[in-house]
Structure formats: C-alpha cells, structure tokens
Amino acid sequence: MPAEVTPAKSGYIEINCQSCGSSLIVESKMLTAICPYCASSSIIQRPPAKDLPRPSFAIGFVIDHDRATELVRQWLRKSHIFARSDFRRAGPELTRGVYLPGYLYSAVSDSNFSASIGENYTETQTYTTTDSKGRTVTRTRTVTRTEWRPLSGRHSCYVMDVVVTASRGVGNAELQAIEPFDLRALRRFQPALITGWLAERPSRTREDCLRMARSETRGKVGVMLKNFMPGDSHRGLRFETKVSREVIHLVLFPIWSFAVRYDPHKAPLQILVNGQTGRVGGKVPVSSMKVSLAIAGVVLLIGLLVLLFLLAD
Ligand SMILES: [Zn+2]
C-alpha cells in the first residue's frame, strides 16, 4: 500500500479554504463545512490530487481534545493585562485536531564574517582638581578603555532541526510560537497514523518553504556567530552564508486549532496548541482603552513625582 495521504480508493476527499488557502484531506465521514484554521465557511470540495508529496515522518498527538481546550482556557485567562476583557472571557469555539504539513530542514553552513572585536583594558589617569580648601591637587583614577581590532574569518557549522510551515492556513510565525516539537518522537509516516484526523496537504510550494528554511538558518548562524566572537565586546558583525548538503523532509505535525470569537463583528482569532507539548500560541487583541488608561496613569505618576520634587526643593 502506497503511503500517500490520500489513498486513491478510500473515502478521502480534499477540501480547499477559499479564505486562507489551506488544503485539507479529510475522510468523507469527517467532512467539515468550516475551515479549521480560520473558521471561514468558504470551503470547496475537489477530487484529491494524485501527485501529492509524500510525508516522510509524522509526530503523533499526545495532547487530547479536552486537555487542549483546558490549556486554551487557561491561556485566555492569563493573557496579558492589556488584552481586551471580552477576549479574556471568550471561550474556544471551534476546535479541530489537524496534522499540519511542515518541512524539517538541515544543512551545513559556511560563513565568511568580519567584525570589530573590543578588548577592555584599564588605565591609571592623573588629573588635577580643587580640594575642599580651594587648593589645586593632583589625583589618580582608574578608567576602563576598549581597544578595537578588526577580525575576519570563516565559520562552518551544521544547522539542524529547522522547522517551517508548508500550510497557507498557518504562517511561520504562528508555527514558531508553539515550537519546539520534540523531534525524538518522529516516526515514519504511516497512513494509519492520521485516520480520524484532518490532515493538510502542503499548500505552499517546496521552493517557498526552502526559502523560509534558509532564512531561518541564516538567523541561527547569526546567533551562533555572535556567541563565537572573542573579546569583551564586538560591533559591526557582517557575514555571508552559503548552505550546502541540504536535507529536507516533509513532516506532519500535530496541531490543535482553535477559533476564538470575542467580537461578533470581527473574524475569529486563531489560537494554536502544540498537540505534542501543549504549548499555546496566538495573537492577543489589545484593548486600546486599557493602553490609554495605563499611559494616562504613567503621565499622572510622573506629574506627581515632579510636583513632589518641586515642593521638596
Ligand atoms: Zn481557512
């Protein structure tokens, strides 16, 4: 039996969300009329494509539906103090467990870098001043100075475990908010693994995902180079990175997707839960009223302090 997400003869259909562009594989009996990512009802059906990229690996769900709902409730209650009150009180509305397609990427990176490296040293300085009796005296003090010297070189390393989304329904930033996944739990993909779940087929091109993975890799290299710099400080770090020996695998990641509607006039917000670790991520709508009140409070406090200062003078 081929390990495609949509075995040709079984009861699978493909649905497309016209609103967010996600493309999901569902068993006919699980047919949904609402997009699990954006809660839009602009779903169209189409026959499953035959040339689906075949996932190499998948991570199974550890967090069940009830636990995920509870985690979202807690997260909503604890959302930061500037969150709109109606959002903090809102309940998760639509919940779906989805196998989200993503790419797992690793590569060897070779970078040429240049920077200025700062080395601190102390110096004893002699200076003249006037003492309490009005006499001119000579004193010494220790000052710290930094000597800058140029450094350039090559840095090679192996970058691994870069994860990027292959779904249009979930952006890379949204996926990053619920990472990391414990990749030790990766299993070879078996169609049986996704039975009873929604699974999405990649709705972003492999080239798009490669671009995202390379840019994330450059970010990681930048952090590594910063840590690699000798001396007490550095400035003007520049680097150029070439990647080689790229390895990329399509992986299905377990995600709970929640739609939270806090305002009947606004589109529901997407909150995601990592189906393996339970980490919750999503954008919190900020209450402009609370922010204004906080700013007013700070201004008032500064005013009071200035007043006290003037009075004490
Ligand atoms: Zn959608």
Side-chain angles (χ1 to χ4, degrees):
M1 170 143 168
E4 258 86 78
V5 190
T6 49
K9 273 177 254 106
S10 65
Y12 285 84
I13 43 172
E14 190 174 323
I15 54 172
N16 268 72
C17 174
Q18 308 254 281
S19 176
C20 73
S22 65
S23 177
L24 295 131
I25 312 295
V26 293
E27 286 172 81
S28 323
K29 60 174 196 275
M30 288 181 61
L31 181 58
T32 169
I34 296 174
C35 173
Y37 291 133
C38 68
S40 148
S41 56
S42 50
I43 289 281
I44 54 159
Q45 281 182 46
R46 66 177 197 199
K50 288 218 171 61
D51 55 342
L52 290 180
R54 165 198 175 121
S56 310
F57 300 103
I59 294 178
F61 275 87
V62 175
I63 304 289
D64 66 12
H65 174 270
D66 291 351
R67 180 78 187 125
T69 310
E70 182 49 35
L71 288 167
V72 169
R73 287 226 171 85
Q74 282 173 15
W75 184 85
L76 282 169
R77 278 197 300 270
K78 279 194 232 145
S79 54
H80 60 72
I81 53 163
F82 291 135
R84 292 174 51 131
S85 311
D86 48 3
F87 175 74
R88 298 180 70 166
R89 279 195 305 270
E93 213 175 279
L94 177 89
T95 328
R96 293 312 290 259
V98 181
Y99 273 106
L100 177 105
Y103 282 102
L104 181 63
Y105 171 94
S106 63
V108 172
S109 86
D110 288 293
S111 312
N112 288 313
F113 67 87
S114 64
S116 290
I117 303 299
E119 218 82 66
N120 292 348
Y121 62 96
T122 52
E123 211 176 53
T124 307
Q125 220 175 37
T126 310
Y127 66 104
T128 55
T129 183
T130 318
D131 71 3
S132 53
K133 285 172 188 144
R135 290 173 302 199
T136 303
V137 288
T138 305
R139 294 206 173 127
T140 60
R141 64 184 164 201
T142 312
V143 288
T144 303
R145 295 197 187 280
T146 306
E147 187 186 302
W148 295 97
R149 61 187 169 83
L151 176 75
S152 62
R154 252 185 98 141
H155 178 268
S156 296
C157 62
Y158 189 58
V159 180
M160 53 196 282
D161 299 349
V162 174
V163 171
V164 293
T165 179
S167 158
R168 274 193 221 276
V170 174
N172 214 32
E174 286 76 50
L175 181 59
Q176 259 170 7
I178 57 163
E179 278 177 47
F181 287 90
D182 182 358
L183 297 170
R184 289 171 303 180
L186 275 185
R187 280 183 280 171
R188 281 253 153 234
F189 174 76
Q190 300 283 333
L193 208 69
I194 59 163
T195 308
W197 299 92
L198 288 173
E200 198 194 344
R201 81 186 191 98
S203 45
R204 290 178 197 259
T205 64
R206 200 172 177 274
E207 287 61 46
D208 241 17
C209 298
L210 256 177
R211 256 195 300 280
M212 287 193 289
R214 285 176 188 144
S215 116
E216 217 174 297
T217 300
R218 261 189 291 280
K220 285 193 176 207
V221 168
V223 172
M224 275 190 253
L225 279 172
K226 272 190 191 125
N227 295 331
F228 176 74
M229 289 297 114
D232 297 303
S233 52
H234 67 267
R235 63 186 183 193
L237 172 63
R238 275 160 208 256
F239 64 95
E240 238 170 69
T241 299
K242 270 201 194 106
V243 288
S244 58
R245 301 202 352 235
E246 294 179 297
V247 178
I248 186 165
H249 286 297
L250 185 59
V251 178
L252 294 178
F253 294 96
I255 304 272
W256 286 102
S257 174
F258 288 83
V260 173
R261 195 184 290 277
Y262 62 97
D263 182 336
H265 306 294
K266 290 206 167 95
L269 282 171
Q270 179 190 64
I271 292 175
L272 299 178
V273 180
N274 183 319
Q276 184 193 29
T277 66
R279 185 166 179 168
V280 184
K283 279 201 193 85
V284 175
V286 167
S287 154
S288 46
M289 174 73 119
K290 286 188 188 174
V291 172
S292 318
L293 279 175
I295 292 172
V298 169
V299 169
L300 201 70
L301 192 68
I302 293 172
L304 276 173
L305 286 174
V306 169
L307 196 69
L308 279 175
F309 181 76
L310 289 176
L311 286 174
D313 218 17

PDB file of all heavy atoms in Angstrom, residues 207-237:
ATOM      1  N   GLU A 207       9.681  25.281  -2.878  1.00  0.00           N
ATOM      2  CA  GLU A 207      10.667  26.354  -3.066  1.00  0.00           C
ATOM      3  C   GLU A 207      10.445  27.462  -2.036  1.00  0.00           C
ATOM      4  O   GLU A 207      11.392  27.991  -1.461  1.00  0.00           O
ATOM      5  CB  GLU A 207      10.570  26.946  -4.480  1.00  0.00           C
ATOM      6  CG  GLU A 207      11.112  26.071  -5.591  1.00  0.00           C
ATOM      7  CD  GLU A 207      10.389  24.732  -5.707  1.00  0.00           C
ATOM      8  OE1 GLU A 207       9.126  24.738  -5.674  1.00  0.00           O
ATOM      9  OE2 GLU A 207      11.061  23.689  -5.785  1.00  0.00           O
ATOM     10  N   ASP A 208       9.171  27.783  -1.826  1.00  0.00           N
ATOM     11  CA  ASP A 208       8.804  28.780  -0.821  1.00  0.00           C
ATOM     12  C   ASP A 208       9.305  28.355   0.549  1.00  0.00           C
ATOM     13  O   ASP A 208       9.863  29.156   1.300  1.00  0.00           O
ATOM     14  CB  ASP A 208       7.269  28.834  -0.746  1.00  0.00           C
ATOM     15  CG  ASP A 208       6.741  30.192  -1.101  1.00  0.00           C
ATOM     16  OD1 ASP A 208       7.515  30.960  -1.704  1.00  0.00           O
ATOM     17  OD2 ASP A 208       5.572  30.475  -0.762  1.00  0.00           O
ATOM     18  N   CYS A 209       9.081  27.085   0.870  1.00  0.00           N
ATOM     19  CA  CYS A 209       9.462  26.557   2.177  1.00  0.00           C
ATOM     20  C   CYS A 209      10.980  26.524   2.313  1.00  0.00           C
ATOM     21  O   CYS A 209      11.524  26.812   3.384  1.00  0.00           O
ATOM     22  CB  CYS A 209       8.880  25.157   2.375  1.00  0.00           C
ATOM     23  SG  CYS A 209       7.080  25.165   2.355  1.00  0.00           S
ATOM     24  N   LEU A 210      11.662  26.201   1.216  1.00  0.00           N
ATOM     25  CA  LEU A 210      13.125  26.195   1.238  1.00  0.00           C
ATOM     26  C   LEU A 210      13.663  27.593   1.526  1.00  0.00           C
ATOM     27  O   LEU A 210      14.588  27.763   2.309  1.00  0.00           O
ATOM     28  CB  LEU A 210      13.659  25.734  -0.119  1.00  0.00           C
ATOM     29  CG  LEU A 210      14.195  24.310  -0.204  1.00  0.00           C
ATOM     30  CD1 LEU A 210      14.613  23.995  -1.625  1.00  0.00           C
ATOM     31  CD2 LEU A 210      15.376  24.109   0.737  1.00  0.00           C
ATOM     32  N   ARG A 211      13.030  28.581   0.894  1.00  0.00           N
ATOM     33  CA  ARG A 211      13.453  29.970   1.127  1.00  0.00           C
ATOM     34  C   ARG A 211      13.303  30.332   2.602  1.00  0.00           C
ATOM     35  O   ARG A 211      14.206  30.912   3.200  1.00  0.00           O
ATOM     36  CB  ARG A 211      12.602  30.931   0.279  1.00  0.00           C
ATOM     37  CG  ARG A 211      13.330  31.475  -0.932  1.00  0.00           C
ATOM     38  CD  ARG A 211      12.598  32.681  -1.511  1.00  0.00           C
ATOM     39  NE  ARG A 211      11.245  32.356  -1.942  1.00  0.00           N
ATOM     40  CZ  ARG A 211      10.958  31.760  -3.095  1.00  0.00           C
ATOM     41  NH1 ARG A 211      11.932  31.443  -3.944  1.00  0.00           N
ATOM     42  NH2 ARG A 211       9.716  31.479  -3.427  1.00  0.00           N
ATOM     43  N   MET A 212      12.157  29.960   3.181  1.00  0.00           N
ATOM     44  CA  MET A 212      11.929  30.260   4.604  1.00  0.00           C
ATOM     45  C   MET A 212      12.954  29.536   5.469  1.00  0.00           C
ATOM     46  O   MET A 212      13.476  30.090   6.420  1.00  0.00           O
ATOM     47  CB  MET A 212      10.519  29.828   5.015  1.00  0.00           C
ATOM     48  CG  MET A 212       9.424  30.706   4.484  1.00  0.00           C
ATOM     49  SD  MET A 212       7.848  30.382   5.311  1.00  0.00           S
ATOM     50  CE  MET A 212       7.392  28.792   4.667  1.00  0.00           C
ATOM     51  N   ALA A 213      13.228  28.277   5.122  1.00  0.00           N
ATOM     52  CA  ALA A 213      14.167  27.479   5.922  1.00  0.00           C
ATOM     53  C   ALA A 213      15.570  28.076   5.849  1.00  0.00           C
ATOM     54  O   ALA A 213      16.279  28.154   6.853  1.00  0.00           O
ATOM     55  CB  ALA A 213      14.167  26.037   5.435  1.00  0.00           C
ATOM     56  N   ARG A 214      15.960  28.541   4.644  1.00  0.00           N
ATOM     57  CA  ARG A 214      17.299  29.128   4.502  1.00  0.00           C
ATOM     58  C   ARG A 214      17.406  30.419   5.288  1.00  0.00           C
ATOM     59  O   ARG A 214      18.423  30.717   5.906  1.00  0.00           O
ATOM     60  CB  ARG A 214      17.611  29.383   3.028  1.00  0.00           C
ATOM     61  CG  ARG A 214      17.945  28.115   2.292  1.00  0.00           C
ATOM     62  CD  ARG A 214      18.152  28.360   0.820  1.00  0.00           C
ATOM     63  NE  ARG A 214      18.276  27.079   0.131  1.00  0.00           N
ATOM     64  CZ  ARG A 214      17.794  26.847  -1.084  1.00  0.00           C
ATOM     65  NH1 ARG A 214      17.171  27.802  -1.741  1.00  0.00           N
ATOM     66  NH2 ARG A 214      17.958  25.660  -1.642  1.00  0.00           N
ATOM     67  N   SER A 215      16.330  31.207   5.272  1.00  0.00           N
ATOM     68  CA  SER A 215      16.405  32.476   6.003  1.00  0.00           C
ATOM     69  C   SER A 215      16.419  32.223   7.512  1.00  0.00           C
ATOM     70  O   SER A 215      17.121  32.903   8.255  1.00  0.00           O
ATOM     71  CB  SER A 215      15.295  33.416   5.534  1.00  0.00           C
ATOM     72  OG  SER A 215      14.390  33.707   6.547  1.00  0.00           O
ATOM     73  N   GLU A 216      15.680  31.193   7.958  1.00  0.00           N
ATOM     74  CA  GLU A 216      15.736  30.836   9.380  1.00  0.00           C
ATOM     75  C   GLU A 216      17.138  30.330   9.747  1.00  0.00           C
ATOM     76  O   GLU A 216      17.642  30.608  10.831  1.00  0.00           O
ATOM     77  CB  GLU A 216      14.686  29.766   9.678  1.00  0.00           C
ATOM     78  CG  GLU A 216      14.024  29.935  11.036  1.00  0.00           C
ATOM     79  CD  GLU A 216      12.876  28.961  11.263  1.00  0.00           C
ATOM     80  OE1 GLU A 216      11.889  29.036  10.512  1.00  0.00           O
ATOM     81  OE2 GLU A 216      12.980  28.134  12.189  1.00  0.00           O
ATOM     82  N   THR A 217      17.763  29.613   8.813  1.00  0.00           N
ATOM     83  CA  THR A 217      19.114  29.102   9.028  1.00  0.00           C
ATOM     84  C   THR A 217      20.098  30.260   9.193  1.00  0.00           C
ATOM     85  O   THR A 217      20.930  30.254  10.094  1.00  0.00           O
ATOM     86  CB  THR A 217      19.534  28.196   7.850  1.00  0.00           C
ATOM     87  OG1 THR A 217      18.610  27.115   7.777  1.00  0.00           O
ATOM     88  CG2 THR A 217      20.940  27.657   8.021  1.00  0.00           C
ATOM     89  N   ARG A 218      19.966  31.268   8.304  1.00  0.00           N
ATOM     90  CA  ARG A 218      20.846  32.435   8.414  1.00  0.00           C
ATOM     91  C   ARG A 218      20.684  33.107   9.775  1.00  0.00           C
ATOM     92  O   ARG A 218      21.655  33.537  10.381  1.00  0.00           O
ATOM     93  CB  ARG A 218      20.560  33.434   7.295  1.00  0.00           C
ATOM     94  CG  ARG A 218      21.537  33.307   6.144  1.00  0.00           C
ATOM     95  CD  ARG A 218      21.368  34.455   5.163  1.00  0.00           C
ATOM     96  NE  ARG A 218      20.101  34.347   4.453  1.00  0.00           N
ATOM     97  CZ  ARG A 218      19.904  33.535   3.416  1.00  0.00           C
ATOM     98  NH1 ARG A 218      20.883  32.791   2.952  1.00  0.00           N
ATOM     99  NH2 ARG A 218      18.726  33.460   2.824  1.00  0.00           N
ATOM    100  N   GLY A 219      19.436  33.176  10.254  1.00  0.00           N
ATOM    101  CA  GLY A 219      19.187  33.740  11.582  1.00  0.00           C
ATOM    102  C   GLY A 219      19.913  32.958  12.661  1.00  0.00           C
ATOM    103  O   GLY A 219      20.538  33.534  13.551  1.00  0.00           O
ATOM    104  N   LYS A 220      19.846  31.628  12.565  1.00  0.00           N
ATOM    105  CA  LYS A 220      20.518  30.777  13.550  1.00  0.00           C
ATOM    106  C   LYS A 220      22.028  30.944  13.483  1.00  0.00           C
ATOM    107  O   LYS A 220      22.703  30.980  14.513  1.00  0.00           O
ATOM    108  CB  LYS A 220      20.167  29.294  13.303  1.00  0.00           C
ATOM    109  CG  LYS A 220      18.775  28.922  13.756  1.00  0.00           C
ATOM    110  CD  LYS A 220      18.602  27.415  13.777  1.00  0.00           C
ATOM    111  CE  LYS A 220      17.224  27.075  14.337  1.00  0.00           C
ATOM    112  NZ  LYS A 220      17.164  25.772  14.968  1.00  0.00           N
ATOM    113  N   VAL A 221      22.561  31.060  12.248  1.00  0.00           N
ATOM    114  CA  VAL A 221      24.001  31.241  12.075  1.00  0.00           C
ATOM    115  C   VAL A 221      24.428  32.567  12.711  1.00  0.00           C
ATOM    116  O   VAL A 221      25.454  32.645  13.384  1.00  0.00           O
ATOM    117  CB  VAL A 221      24.384  31.189  10.575  1.00  0.00           C
ATOM    118  CG1 VAL A 221      25.813  31.652  10.348  1.00  0.00           C
ATOM    119  CG2 VAL A 221      24.188  29.775  10.037  1.00  0.00           C
ATOM    120  N   GLY A 222      23.615  33.599  12.520  1.00  0.00           N
ATOM    121  CA  GLY A 222      23.908  34.907  13.106  1.00  0.00           C
ATOM    122  C   GLY A 222      24.052  34.823  14.618  1.00  0.00           C
ATOM    123  O   GLY A 222      24.976  35.396  15.198  1.00  0.00           O
ATOM    124  N   VAL A 223      23.138  34.082  15.252  1.00  0.00           N
ATOM    125  CA  VAL A 223      23.197  33.916  16.709  1.00  0.00           C
ATOM    126  C   VAL A 223      24.459  33.150  17.100  1.00  0.00           C
ATOM    127  O   VAL A 223      25.167  33.521  18.046  1.00  0.00           O
ATOM    128  CB  VAL A 223      21.924  33.183  17.219  1.00  0.00           C
ATOM    129  CG1 VAL A 223      22.052  32.834  18.686  1.00  0.00           C
ATOM    130  CG2 VAL A 223      20.688  34.034  16.964  1.00  0.00           C
ATOM    131  N   MET A 224      24.767  32.101  16.340  1.00  0.00           N
ATOM    132  CA  MET A 224      25.968  31.308  16.641  1.00  0.00           C
ATOM    133  C   MET A 224      27.224  32.155  16.507  1.00  0.00           C
ATOM    134  O   MET A 224      28.128  32.077  17.333  1.00  0.00           O
ATOM    135  CB  MET A 224      26.053  30.111  15.691  1.00  0.00           C
ATOM    136  CG  MET A 224      25.259  28.924  16.164  1.00  0.00           C
ATOM    137  SD  MET A 224      25.641  27.477  15.166  1.00  0.00           S
ATOM    138  CE  MET A 224      24.160  27.350  14.216  1.00  0.00           C
ATOM    139  N   LEU A 225      27.271  32.999  15.444  1.00  0.00           N
ATOM    140  CA  LEU A 225      28.448  33.838  15.231  1.00  0.00           C
ATOM    141  C   LEU A 225      28.627  34.842  16.362  1.00  0.00           C
ATOM    142  O   LEU A 225      29.747  35.091  16.807  1.00  0.00           O
ATOM    143  CB  LEU A 225      28.331  34.573  13.891  1.00  0.00           C
ATOM    144  CG  LEU A 225      28.721  33.754  12.658  1.00  0.00           C
ATOM    145  CD1 LEU A 225      28.377  34.505  11.391  1.00  0.00           C
ATOM    146  CD2 LEU A 225      30.206  33.410  12.679  1.00  0.00           C
ATOM    147  N   LYS A 226      27.507  35.398  16.827  1.00  0.00           N
ATOM    148  CA  LYS A 226      27.569  36.357  17.942  1.00  0.00           C
ATOM    149  C   LYS A 226      28.200  35.692  19.153  1.00  0.00           C
ATOM    150  O   LYS A 226      29.030  36.278  19.841  1.00  0.00           O
ATOM    151  CB  LYS A 226      26.166  36.837  18.307  1.00  0.00           C
ATOM    152  CG  LYS A 226      25.748  38.041  17.511  1.00  0.00           C
ATOM    153  CD  LYS A 226      24.473  38.650  18.062  1.00  0.00           C
ATOM    154  CE  LYS A 226      23.950  39.672  17.074  1.00  0.00           C
ATOM    155  NZ  LYS A 226      22.572  39.415  16.685  1.00  0.00           N
ATOM    156  N   ASN A 227      27.790  34.446  19.428  1.00  0.00           N
ATOM    157  CA  ASN A 227      28.338  33.728  20.581  1.00  0.00           C
ATOM    158  C   ASN A 227      29.792  33.325  20.360  1.00  0.00           C
ATOM    159  O   ASN A 227      30.529  33.081  21.307  1.00  0.00           O
ATOM    160  CB  ASN A 227      27.505  32.470  20.869  1.00  0.00           C
ATOM    161  CG  ASN A 227      26.101  32.821  21.291  1.00  0.00           C
ATOM    162  OD1 ASN A 227      25.859  33.878  21.871  1.00  0.00           O
ATOM    163  ND2 ASN A 227      25.159  31.949  20.979  1.00  0.00           N
ATOM    164  N   PHE A 228      30.180  33.254  19.099  1.00  0.00           N
ATOM    165  CA  PHE A 228      31.505  32.769  18.719  1.00  0.00           C
ATOM    166  C   PHE A 228      32.550  33.895  18.804  1.00  0.00           C
ATOM    167  O   PHE A 228      33.742  33.648  18.888  1.00  0.00           O
ATOM    168  CB  PHE A 228      31.374  32.219  17.293  1.00  0.00           C
ATOM    169  CG  PHE A 228      32.642  31.756  16.653  1.00  0.00           C
ATOM    170  CD1 PHE A 228      33.236  30.570  17.051  1.00  0.00           C
ATOM    171  CD2 PHE A 228      33.231  32.489  15.633  1.00  0.00           C
ATOM    172  CE1 PHE A 228      34.393  30.128  16.446  1.00  0.00           C
ATOM    173  CE2 PHE A 228      34.392  32.050  15.025  1.00  0.00           C
ATOM    174  CZ  PHE A 228      34.974  30.866  15.425  1.00  0.00           C
ATOM    175  N   MET A 229      32.103  35.143  18.790  1.00  0.00           N
ATOM    176  CA  MET A 229      33.019  36.286  18.773  1.00  0.00           C
ATOM    177  C   MET A 229      33.855  36.337  20.047  1.00  0.00           C
ATOM    178  O   MET A 229      33.325  36.238  21.145  1.00  0.00           O
ATOM    179  CB  MET A 229      32.237  37.605  18.632  1.00  0.00           C
ATOM    180  CG  MET A 229      31.607  37.848  17.272  1.00  0.00           C
ATOM    181  SD  MET A 229      32.801  37.975  15.938  1.00  0.00           S
ATOM    182  CE  MET A 229      32.383  36.514  15.008  1.00  0.00           C
ATOM    183  N   PRO A 230      35.177  36.489  19.900  1.00  0.00           N
ATOM    184  CA  PRO A 230      36.038  36.594  21.080  1.00  0.00           C
ATOM    185  C   PRO A 230      35.987  38.008  21.655  1.00  0.00           C
ATOM    186  O   PRO A 230      35.234  38.856  21.173  1.00  0.00           O
ATOM    187  CB  PRO A 230      37.419  36.275  20.513  1.00  0.00           C
ATOM    188  CG  PRO A 230      37.348  36.737  19.094  1.00  0.00           C
ATOM    189  CD  PRO A 230      35.923  36.553  18.648  1.00  0.00           C
ATOM    190  N   GLY A 231      36.800  38.258  22.657  1.00  0.00           N
ATOM    191  CA  GLY A 231      36.909  39.608  23.209  1.00  0.00           C
ATOM    192  C   GLY A 231      35.810  39.922  24.204  1.00  0.00           C
ATOM    193  O   GLY A 231      34.988  39.075  24.540  1.00  0.00           O
ATOM    194  N   ASP A 232      35.819  41.175  24.681  1.00  0.00           N
ATOM    195  CA  ASP A 232      34.822  41.593  25.671  1.00  0.00           C
ATOM    196  C   ASP A 232      33.547  42.068  25.002  1.00  0.00           C
ATOM    197  O   ASP A 232      32.483  42.032  25.579  1.00  0.00           O
ATOM    198  CB  ASP A 232      35.398  42.707  26.544  1.00  0.00           C
ATOM    199  CG  ASP A 232      36.608  42.214  27.332  1.00  0.00           C
ATOM    200  OD1 ASP A 232      36.449  41.231  28.073  1.00  0.00           O
ATOM    201  OD2 ASP A 232      37.703  42.778  27.165  1.00  0.00           O
ATOM    202  N   SER A 233      33.682  42.569  23.790  1.00  0.00           N
ATOM    203  CA  SER A 233      32.504  43.019  23.048  1.00  0.00           C
ATOM    204  C   SER A 233      32.849  42.999  21.562  1.00  0.00           C
ATOM    205  O   SER A 233      34.008  42.822  21.182  1.00  0.00           O
ATOM    206  CB  SER A 233      32.114  44.428  23.487  1.00  0.00           C
ATOM    207  OG  SER A 233      33.241  45.290  23.403  1.00  0.00           O
ATOM    208  N   HIS A 234      31.822  43.156  20.728  1.00  0.00           N
ATOM    209  CA  HIS A 234      32.084  43.247  19.290  1.00  0.00           C
ATOM    210  C   HIS A 234      31.061  44.184  18.668  1.00  0.00           C
ATOM    211  O   HIS A 234      30.006  44.442  19.242  1.00  0.00           O
ATOM    212  CB  HIS A 234      32.039  41.869  18.637  1.00  0.00           C
ATOM    213  CG  HIS A 234      30.667  41.241  18.649  1.00  0.00           C
ATOM    214  ND1 HIS A 234      30.248  40.397  19.647  1.00  0.00           N
ATOM    215  CD2 HIS A 234      29.627  41.357  17.800  1.00  0.00           C
ATOM    216  CE1 HIS A 234      29.007  40.017  19.404  1.00  0.00           C
ATOM    217  NE2 HIS A 234      28.602  40.583  18.299  1.00  0.00           N
ATOM    218  N   ARG A 235      31.411  44.702  17.503  1.00  0.00           N
ATOM    219  CA  ARG A 235      30.458  45.547  16.774  1.00  0.00           C
ATOM    220  C   ARG A 235      30.671  45.367  15.287  1.00  0.00           C
ATOM    221  O   ARG A 235      31.725  44.887  14.854  1.00  0.00           O
ATOM    222  CB  ARG A 235      30.606  47.016  17.204  1.00  0.00           C
ATOM    223  CG  ARG A 235      31.945  47.618  16.882  1.00  0.00           C
ATOM    224  CD  ARG A 235      32.075  49.026  17.459  1.00  0.00           C
ATOM    225  NE  ARG A 235      33.351  49.608  17.067  1.00  0.00           N
ATOM    226  CZ  ARG A 235      33.858  50.704  17.604  1.00  0.00           C
ATOM    227  NH1 ARG A 235      33.202  51.326  18.570  1.00  0.00           N
ATOM    228  NH2 ARG A 235      35.014  51.190  17.190  1.00  0.00           N
ATOM    229  N   GLY A 236      29.664  45.778  14.530  1.00  0.00           N
ATOM    230  CA  GLY A 236      29.746  45.722  13.062  1.00  0.00           C
ATOM    231  C   GLY A 236      29.931  44.329  12.500  1.00  0.00           C
ATOM    232  O   GLY A 236      30.650  44.145  11.514  1.00  0.00           O
ATOM    233  N   LEU A 237      29.250  43.332  13.118  1.00  0.00           N
ATOM    234  CA  LEU A 237      29.371  41.960  12.611  1.00  0.00           C
ATOM    235  C   LEU A 237      28.648  41.833  11.270  1.00  0.00           C
ATOM    236  O   LEU A 237      27.478  42.152  11.148  1.00  0.00           O
ATOM    237  CB  LEU A 237      28.783  40.972  13.626  1.00  0.00           C
ATOM    238  CG  LEU A 237      28.657  39.510  13.182  1.00  0.00           C
ATOM    239  CD1 LEU A 237      30.017  38.899  12.895  1.00  0.00           C
ATOM    240  CD2 LEU A 237      27.931  38.678  14.235  1.00  0.00           C
TER     241      LEU A 237
END
